[in-house]
Amino acid sequence: PRLAALLGGVSNAWALLEHEIAAMLELLISMPILTYNQRGTDPLANELFDSFKLIDHKTALLKAAFRARVQDDDLQKELQERIGRIQQASKRRGGLVHATWGVSDDPGYTDKIIKTNASRMDFSRDEPYGEQQLIEAIQFIDLVHKETSFFFVKGSKPCPS
């Protein structure tokens, strides 16, 4: 049960990161009326963000909005770096959350869950995962969330009234 809960923790950490991306997009689209410390809910930004299901599409939308609103080459470059980290977190999360998992009666695996390729009936590539590996995945996604959040604050500048 603890390892299953940790898999849920991976999803939760990802949801926080994805929320931060949505907040950045909302700010960029709403720039004429909002500043970073007056974040509200912009229906257009939310609809656009939610219409894209894949993180690559969501980050492409963010890049386009950022390019249109922020004319700072250093911040543009830093956004590219953040997006690279977001994509790394996405791959790590996807590899865990979308996997097929199992357990084993083997005494050597009682404290592990098994990431299996059962859907392809290829059990030769089964991978045991322990608590530490799942915690590290959560910590990595959380770190990327924090980096993204710091960038969000740094890249947000009050708009002229």
Side-chain angles (χ1 to χ4, degrees):
R2 173 144 172 80
L3 297 179
L6 286 171
L7 276 174
V10 170
S11 289
N12 185 61
W14 178 255
L16 293 171
L17 174 57
E18 203 167 41
H19 175 77
E20 195 69 34
I21 298 165
M24 287 177 69
L25 179 64
E26 180 181 332
L27 173 72
L28 290 166
I29 289 176
S30 305
M31 263 184 145
I33 57 171
L34 295 177
T35 63
Y36 72 90
N37 60 356
Q38 297 173 318
R39 289 172 22 189
T41 301
D42 184 304
L44 174 61
N46 290 333
E47 287 296 323
L48 284 171
F49 190 78
D50 289 343
S51 71
F52 293 99
K53 300 302 176 203
L54 299 177
I55 193 61
D56 289 344
H57 298 155
K58 290 178 179 188
T59 54
L61 179 62
L62 178 63
K63 267 193 330 195
F66 200 83
R67 195 171 39 248
R69 298 288 193 180
V70 179
Q71 307 302 316
D72 182 316
D73 290 341
D74 290 336
L75 287 175
Q76 293 286 342
K77 183 178 177 187
E78 192 171 342
L79 177 67
Q80 259 322 115
E81 292 169 7
R82 296 284 64 79
I83 287 175
R85 295 280 285 169
I86 290 166
Q87 289 169 336
Q88 288 175 340
S90 174
K91 285 180 183 160
R92 198 149 179 189
R93 173 232 175 232
L96 295 171
V97 172
H98 297 293
T100 302
W101 294 92
V103 294
S104 174
D105 292 335
D106 185 314
Y109 292 108
T110 56
D111 62 342
K112 296 189 177 2
I113 54 177
I114 312 297
K115 182 178 173 186
T116 183
N117 208 6
S119 61
R120 295 196 177 105
M121 299 305 288
D122 176 10
F123 299 99
S124 65
R125 297 189 326 188
D126 287 356
E127 296 176 62
Y129 272 75
E131 183 174 324
Q132 189 59 38
Q133 290 167 291
L134 296 172
I135 289 171
E136 287 170 5
I138 293 168
Q139 289 172 336
F140 178 73
I141 295 168
D142 187 51
L143 174 64
V144 174
H145 170 237
K146 286 182 174 115
E147 292 170 352
T148 303
S149 183
F150 290 136
F151 174 74
F152 180 20
V153 171
K154 178 179 166 181
S156 302
K157 297 178 181 157
C159 303
S161 314

